[in-house]
Amino acid sequence: LVDLSDRQLRIVQGGRILRTERIAVGSDEYPTPVGRWHFQRVDINPDWTPPDSEWAKEEEPKQPGDADNPMGRARLLFTEDYSIHGTDDTASLGTNQSHGSIRVANAAVLELARLLLQAGGAFEGNDWFNRMTAEPTRMHRIELDHPVEIMVVQ
């Protein structure tokens, strides 16, 4: 559950809040969409392709592990255009300055990725997960076996 008004992400299971994280959300010009979706995929050490948007017209693609890659350590994709992704710009957390996606600290996004892979039936164990995260310059794209809902509210 993502609450845009208080800029908090809550992992909820069976009515219990398991984890809460501070997030950055979309700016007034590039708002984060409100609605319900299902996560489709988890990318560990994602690349970044600039979107077809005016703000990104001068940007170049970034490889996994590139210091200028805005995706951080993981991208949790819930629509073609929007995701929850990591950042090391922790000063941005609690603000509305993203281009629509949801930012969370890199350490937190890796834990969220682990939880999502487990809930989505695509987790192959701690050793497997640790091997993927140990190579920050190599991207791993994992499709979820089962849908996991995300709800974004105002």
Side-chain angles (χ1 to χ4, degrees), residues 73-92:
R73 292 298 313 274
R75 174 175 47 213
L76 317 176
L77 197 70
F78 60 91
T79 75
E80 188 60 36
D81 297 321
Y82 297 100
S83 65
I84 295 172
H85 66 80
T87 184
D88 40 357
D89 180 11
T90 56
S92 74

Side-chain angles (χ1 to χ4, degrees), residues 2-142:
V2 173
D3 188 327
L4 300 176
S5 65
D6 71 1
R7 295 179 181 89
Q8 297 283 322
L9 176 147
R10 295 174 182 88
I11 303 296
V12 181
Q13 185 178 37
R16 274 190 35 223
I17 297 173
L18 302 179
R19 186 180 184 104
T20 301
E21 296 292 340
R22 264 180 69 206
I23 57 173
V25 299
S27 65
D28 292 339
E29 188 176 359
Y30 302 100
T32 301
V34 173
R36 286 179 184 246
W37 296 271
H38 289 91
F39 285 102
Q40 304 165 15
R41 180 178 92 219
V42 172
D43 296 335
I44 303 295
N45 308 316
D47 60 5
W48 181 68
T49 301
D52 185 17
S53 183
E54 185 64 27
W55 70 266
K57 70 179 185 177
E58 302 294 322
E59 297 289 333
E60 295 291 328
K62 305 291 186 247
Q63 295 302 308
D66 186 319
D68 294 327
N69 182 334
M71 293 293 104
R73 292 298 313 274
R75 174 175 47 213
L76 317 176
L77 197 70
F78 60 91
T79 75
E80 188 60 36
D81 297 321
Y82 297 100
S83 65
I84 295 172
H85 66 80
T87 184
D88 40 357
D89 180 11
T90 56
S92 74
L93 302 179
T95 70
N96 65 329
Q97 58 179 256
S98 84
H99 290 100
S101 285
I102 300 158
R103 294 181 200 158
V104 65
N106 273 323
V109 81
L110 288 174
E111 283 308 308
L112 295 174
R114 179 191 304 269
L115 291 171
L116 184 56
L117 290 165
Q118 289 169 340
F123 189 74
E124 296 183 24
N126 288 325
D127 289 343
W128 167 80
F129 188 79
N130 292 338
R131 279 192 309 276
M132 285 192 301
T133 59
E135 300 177 59
T137 60
R138 182 166 177 233
M139 182 169 155
H140 301 273
R141 180 171 283 182
I142 306 111

